[in-house]
Amino acid sequence: MTALGLTAVLGGCGLTGGSDEVTLKLVAADYGDSAANSSQKYWDKLAKAYEAEHPGVSIDVTVYSWNDVDAKVKAMVAAGDAPDLAQIGAYADYAAKDLLYEVDELLSIPVQADFVSQLADAGQVNGVQYGIPFASSTRLLFYNKTLFEKAGLTPPTTWKELAADAEALKAEGVKYPYALPLGPEEAQAETMQWLLSGGGGYTDTNLGTYSIDSTENVATFDWLKNDLVGKGLTGPVAPGELNRADAFSAFAAGDVGMLNGHPSLMHMAEKKGVKFGMVPMPGAEGPTKISMGVADWMMAFKQNGHAEQVGEFLDFVYDKDNVLDFSREYDLLPVTNSASRVMTAAKQDADLKPFLEQLPLSELYPVGRTSWAAVSADVKRRIGSTVASGGSPSAILGQLQSTATRAESAE
């Protein structure tokens, strides 16, 4: 990891009352895959740098795995012991309960203006921003170059070409011509990428309502069921039982012809010596114009006060050099325009450039809705059955729409 940027232009320490000591408690998610690159190391170094410039302010950071961090914060809040800051997967529930500071109450105007616009917009509830984007990624279609060359194929740009390529790969004995992970680990992501490629999505952007059972979405899953899964082009594991991590591992082992992936898959494949290419997700008629974007969130709880100190610390966190350091350490896309411009131009970040190019064209989950948690959970539970033998995409998408409607009503 490069040296952390320590030259953020900040105001004074923000303390009134002279010698008062303030400790800010931050709970964060771990993006590392081993003790050597744990996010605890990143935050400890950042905190030490900040404390050196701000005597009287201490930063107490606790890092948990993604399996635990959201539940840990939820339990802390329920016990009346909310942290000052949480860097986790969702903010809307806390915003709806009026537990969070508005971003306008915390960040300086230059820092607010530096966020990638659609990420900042996704942090809003009813037009007010509570969620501060912290890390982001987009998805591209990965393909195994060696397998494609052996079969005499070129990367697909349409669904029809994707299916034809998968047929050719199957004929060559490829285990997973197209890996379709609709298992419970991250089915909502694979689902959204396919919905977008068919001209649909989870919501109707014009009406602002869920549209899970739209004509476009039903047509997308009819095609998946009949033209991909039904023809044996998705491998030996049923899509509803295939998780993303297993699909990625199979790609890194050379057993997958094509699958949707994010930047971490590049390094998994490189470590195993797999030669791969990346292209935009094929669509019904041509390359998908809108990619799926994902963001994780920073938020500040009001319980302990300290708005001024929290805001000044966050201004430091989002300094360009610090954003670059984090993004490069964990192969993620920066959430600020200033860091994005650097990464777009830098040779060392060339492998991330295709993902960066997709970010301005991306659409995120409807994370500003408190209903999304229930909808996402139901997608993970049900969506695999849409493409199973005997499954009905229309009926199951209708059931998911009913879940969304009830969740919206409860909201």
Side-chain angles (χ1 to χ4, degrees):
M1 182 163 55
T2 57
L4 290 169
L6 307 181
T7 57
V9 180
L10 299 170
C13 68
L15 295 176
T16 58
S19 62
D20 290 347
E21 294 282 335
V22 172
T23 296
L24 300 180
K25 185 170 184 177
L26 166 63
V27 176
D30 195 352
Y31 290 82
D33 55 13
S34 67
N37 70 342
S38 167
S39 293
Q40 187 74 52
K41 290 188 174 182
Y42 172 85
W43 283 112
D44 286 347
K45 190 171 184 179
L46 188 72
K48 184 177 179 180
Y50 185 78
E51 290 166 354
E53 295 188 3
H54 296 77
V57 180
S58 298
I59 312 297
D60 176 14
V61 184
T62 305
V63 170
Y64 294 104
S65 75
W66 272 111
N67 293 330
D68 301 324
V69 67
D70 288 277
K72 291 285 187 181
V73 172
K74 184 176 181 179
M76 292 170 70
V77 172
D81 186 28
D84 296 284
L85 291 155
Q87 187 272 298
I88 52 178
Y91 66 86
D93 281 351
Y94 301 121
K97 295 173 183 174
D98 195 30
L99 299 177
L100 302 179
Y101 283 112
E102 298 178 14
V103 173
D104 285 344
E105 299 176 276
L106 301 170
L107 298 177
S108 66
I109 292 174
V111 171
Q112 288 188 63
D114 196 25
F115 288 117
V116 175
S117 59
Q118 74 264 43
L119 299 180
D121 290 346
Q124 296 181 359
V125 175
N126 298 324
V128 178
Q129 187 179 353
Y130 297 93
I132 310 170
F134 183 74
S136 66
S137 69
T138 55
R139 304 294 167 96
L140 292 169
L141 182 77
F142 283 66
Y143 64 96
N144 184 310
K145 282 187 173 182
T146 302
L147 298 178
F148 265 61
E149 289 170 4
K150 184 180 178 183
L153 302 175
T154 56
T157 61
T158 65
W159 290 354
K160 184 177 180 180
E161 291 174 3
L162 186 149
D165 285 351
E167 287 276 13
L169 291 167
K170 181 182 179 181
E172 291 285 336
V174 175
K175 189 174 182 179
Y176 293 90
Y178 178 88
L180 182 66
L182 294 178
E185 179 193 1
E186 204 190 30
Q188 82 283 3
E190 183 75 11
T191 297
M192 183 169 176
Q193 189 65 70
W194 277 100
L195 296 182
L196 291 172
S197 74
Y202 285 121
T203 59
D204 185 315
T205 53
N206 294 320
L207 298 176
T209 57
Y210 283 104
S211 56
I212 299 173
D213 61 349
S214 69
T215 301
E216 293 84 358
N217 292 348
V218 171
T220 294
F221 271 87
D222 278 338
W223 186 87
L224 281 172
K225 181 177 186 294
N226 298 324
D227 292 68
L228 212 60
V229 180
K231 294 183 179 179
L233 303 179
T234 54
V237 179
E241 297 174 10
L242 181 65
N243 282 323
R244 183 205 62 181
D246 295 328
F248 278 20
S249 294
F251 186 84
D255 292 331
V256 175
M258 298 172 280
L259 84 169
N260 283 317
H262 52 64
S264 69
L265 182 57
M266 294 189 299
H267 300 287
M268 287 182 65
E270 287 168 354
K271 286 179 181 178
K272 296 289 188 177
V274 173
K275 296 180 180 179
F276 61 89
M278 303 177 297
V279 294
M281 176 68 179
E285 304 297 334
T288 302
K289 293 182 172 60
I290 301 176
S291 176
M292 188 191 77
V294 177
D296 299 323
W297 302 95
M298 179 74 77
M299 63 213 69
F301 288 90
K302 296 192 290 186
Q303 179 179 321
N304 301 322
H306 304 149
E308 188 172 0
Q309 293 82 17
V310 167
E312 290 181 345
F313 175 62
L314 287 176
D315 276 1
F316 184 79
V317 168
Y318 286 99
D319 173 69
K320 179 184 67 178
D321 291 334
N322 294 334
V323 173
L324 282 170
D325 287 334
F326 183 85
S327 302
R328 286 167 170 164
E329 175 68 15
Y330 298 109
D331 297 315
L332 293 163
L333 304 185
V335 297
T336 61
N337 292 307
S338 58
S340 293
R341 286 192 292 269
V342 172
M343 291 188 80
T344 299
K347 288 184 179 179
Q348 74 183 91
D349 302 311
D351 55 352
L352 286 173
K353 191 173 180 180
F355 295 94
L356 280 164
E357 291 172 346
Q358 292 290 310
L359 190 56
L361 308 172
S362 65
E363 182 174 318
L364 280 72
Y365 301 130
V367 290
R369 300 168 182 263
T370 57
S371 56
W372 171 242
V375 174
S376 176
D378 206 29
V379 169
K380 291 178 182 181
R381 186 167 67 90
R382 295 179 189 266
I383 200 68
S385 58
T386 58
V387 296
S389 176
S392 168
S394 177
I396 293 163
L397 292 176
Q399 292 167 4
L400 291 169
Q401 179 66 31
S402 295
T403 294
T405 301
R406 288 194 301 271
E408 282 283 274
S409 297
E411 180 180 329

